């Protein structure tokens, strides 16, 4: 099991939400809400990370996650350095750990890592120096903890308590770290029902998503739900031919106005992005009144401020 806490019980790394306690999730969400602002409002700033140096180490593409980790750090006074994979020495054959040790010698305090290889985050976190924190910005298909937190925060803001809600996660669940982290956090927050809706080839293994009703038809899966979480097909994670092409996928699994009408009238629609309009979601819905996709993006910064502060603010004194 991944050890994410210090000896005194405080959170040091964030690699998975699976082993967090409800009170830890609640306090991260409370702090995130403190930093959250509506679109158009002035973002909050602070000095709690002054003197802290953060490395964004992304070996897979990212726009929102990288930028929001960067803004989150800067808005709290940290120094943030982005290491592009093309520029890093990893491409010259140096291992991730060597890169980390080099950066540690330059006195980095926090490593924010996105990588396609399962296990890299746990490996790095078990080798960094005392006082250094490791945060996942997305690990293979396994986990994306800050995305899970921002999804939970967004649901709370629009729906209040998560406990009475029926939530449908739709699409390529098999290869989705977003779906896994959402499942973990929503389970800890005791959502009434988490449904998974996917074509057979994109369903997760039977031992995963325990307790979630499974649906292969979107119409049935959306019946009466409060929240719809759409996902992108993660083509980069499999070499499958059994998956229908874009147009055909949209015909069966695309979120259209007629299908959305199956959910509760006040249901919200989410998507972690990047989104493929006309493949998993109709443009009208992505930009429509039930979409909360842009609040998810804003909340990403708030959640990352809360997480960075939680693991690293002690370093700044
Ligand atoms: C997701 C990711 O990278 O896991 N994007 C994100 O972080 N918002 C989802 C995806 O790539 O489909």
């Amino acid at each position: 099991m991944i050890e994410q806490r210090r000896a005194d019980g405080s959170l040091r790394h964030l690699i998975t939400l699976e082993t967090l306690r409800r009170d830890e999730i609640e306090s991260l969400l409370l702090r995130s809400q403190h930093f959250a602002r509506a679109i158009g409002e002035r973002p909050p700033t602070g000095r709690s990370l002054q003197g802290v140096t953060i490395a964004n180490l992304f070996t897979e593409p990212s726009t929102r996650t990288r930028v929001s980790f960067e803004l989150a750090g800067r808005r709290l006074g940290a120094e943030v350095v982005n290491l592009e994979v093309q520029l890093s020495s990893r491409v010259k054959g140096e291992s991730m750990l060597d890169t980390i040790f080099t950066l540690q010698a330059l006195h980095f305090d926090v490593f924010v890592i996105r990588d396609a290889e399962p296990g890299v985050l746990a490996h790095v976190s078990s080798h960094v120096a005392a006082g250094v924190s490791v945060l996942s910005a997305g690990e293979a298909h396994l986990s994306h903890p800050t995305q899970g937190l921002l999804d939970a925060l967004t649901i709370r803001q629009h729906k209040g308590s998560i406990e009475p809600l029926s939530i449908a996660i739709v699409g390529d669940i098999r290869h989705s770290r977003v779906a896994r982290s959402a499942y973990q956090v929503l389970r800890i927050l005791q959502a009434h029902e988490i449904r998974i809706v996917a074509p057979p080839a994109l369903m997760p293994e039977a031992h995963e998503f325990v307790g979630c009703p499974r649906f292969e038809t979107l119409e049935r899966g959306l019946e009466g739900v409060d929240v719809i979480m759409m996902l992108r097909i993660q083509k980069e994670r499999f070499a499958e031919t059994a998956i229908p092409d874009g147009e055909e996928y949209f015909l069966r699994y695309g979120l259209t106005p007629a299908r959305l009408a199956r959910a509760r009238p006040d249901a919200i629609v989410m998507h972690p992005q990047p989104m493929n309009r006309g493949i998993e979601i109709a443009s009208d819905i992505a930009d429509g009144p039930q979409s909360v996709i842009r609040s998810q993006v804003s909340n990403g910064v708030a959640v990352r401020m809360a997480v960075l502060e939680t693991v690293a603010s002690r370093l700044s004194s």
Side-chain angles (χ1 to χ4, degrees):
M1 204 161 76
I2 302 166
E3 189 44 78
Q4 304 190 97
R5 298 185 185 90
R6 298 183 184 90
D8 68 359
S10 62
L11 201 63
R12 176 182 173 194
H13 307 299
L14 186 61
I15 293 166
T16 176
L17 297 176
E18 199 172 15
T19 51
L20 293 196
R21 294 186 312 268
R22 182 164 184 166
D23 63 289
E24 291 171 312
I25 302 268
E26 295 287 359
S27 64
L28 285 168
L29 291 179
L30 198 65
R31 196 62 186 154
S32 303
Q33 185 55 46
H34 165 84
F35 290 124
R37 293 293 181 277
I39 296 164
E41 281 179 13
R42 233 186 129 67
T45 55
R47 310 303 311 158
S48 57
L49 295 181
Q50 199 161 25
V52 172
T53 309
I54 301 170
N56 271 337
L57 206 58
F58 283 54
T59 68
E60 280 193 318
S62 171
T63 312
R64 281 153 294 273
T65 306
R66 192 188 58 68
V67 170
S68 60
F69 262 113
E70 180 174 357
L71 289 177
R74 288 191 197 284
R75 286 182 185 160
L76 291 177
E79 262 189 273
V80 185
V81 177
N82 292 309
L83 287 115
E84 301 295 337
V85 65
Q86 301 94 311
L87 302 179
S88 88
S89 39
R90 195 179 191 222
V91 292
K92 290 183 232 145
E94 205 178 23
S95 73
M96 176 70 95
L97 221 42
D98 285 334
T99 306
I100 297 286
F101 292 149
T102 302
L103 295 170
Q104 251 176 207
L106 298 168
H107 300 286
F108 278 86
D109 303 294
V110 180
F111 295 110
V112 178
I113 299 174
R114 169 172 285 198
D115 199 79
E117 200 183 310
V120 162
L121 271 292
H123 184 64
V124 170
S125 71
S126 64
H127 286 85
V128 288
V132 170
S133 290
V134 176
L135 302 178
S136 168
E139 176 183 8
H141 63 289
L142 288 176
S143 94
H144 195 349
T146 54
Q147 179 75 40
L149 291 170
L150 77 87
D151 287 340
L153 181 66
T154 307
I155 296 172
R156 278 236 174 124
Q157 288 169 347
H158 290 87
K159 296 263 142 227
S161 167
I162 284 176
E163 284 185 23
L165 302 178
S166 282
I167 297 159
I169 308 179
V170 180
D172 184 3
I173 294 162
R174 190 181 186 88
H175 305 103
S176 176
R177 54 194 176 206
V178 174
R180 285 179 177 78
S181 285
Y183 166 68
Q184 290 163 1
V185 70
L186 294 172
R187 212 166 97 122
I188 294 167
L189 296 174
Q190 295 179 359
H192 170 66
E193 183 184 41
I194 307 166
R195 302 180 187 179
I196 57 175
V197 186
L202 299 179
M203 275 288 177
E205 304 274 333
H207 65 87
E208 288 194 284
F209 293 84
V210 175
C212 297
R214 296 179 177 221
F215 295 85
E216 287 175 10
T217 20
L218 186 50
E219 284 76 2
R220 286 191 45 233
L222 295 184
E223 210 68 64
V225 299
D226 303 282
V227 177
I228 304 172
M229 300 181 71
M230 301 303 296
L231 301 170
R232 181 178 69 87
I233 300 183
Q234 310 273 308
K235 285 214 178 91
E236 67 276 26
R237 302 204 195 284
F238 59 101
E240 199 98 44
T241 47
I243 309 305
D245 67 14
E247 230 167 277
E248 215 183 305
Y249 185 85
F250 187 71
L251 280 178
R252 295 196 54 201
Y253 290 98
L255 186 61
T256 59
R259 287 174 175 146
L260 177 56
R262 301 269 186 152
R264 285 177 56 96
D266 60 351
I268 55 169
V269 177
M270 307 175 74
H271 194 303
Q273 306 198 72
M275 123 179 108
N276 298 302
R277 293 165 184 264
I279 297 180
E280 68 260 2
I281 189 166
S283 242
D284 291 358
I285 294 177
D287 302 325
Q290 286 170 268
S291 166
V292 298
I293 296 171
R294 288 184 195 133
S295 4
Q296 287 176 274
V297 180
S298 302
N299 284 332
V301 182
V303 158
R304 287 160 187 136
M305 287 170 91
V307 169
L308 283 168
E309 196 189 67
T310 301
V311 301
S313 63
R314 57 171 51 215
L315 301 171
S316 64
S317 52

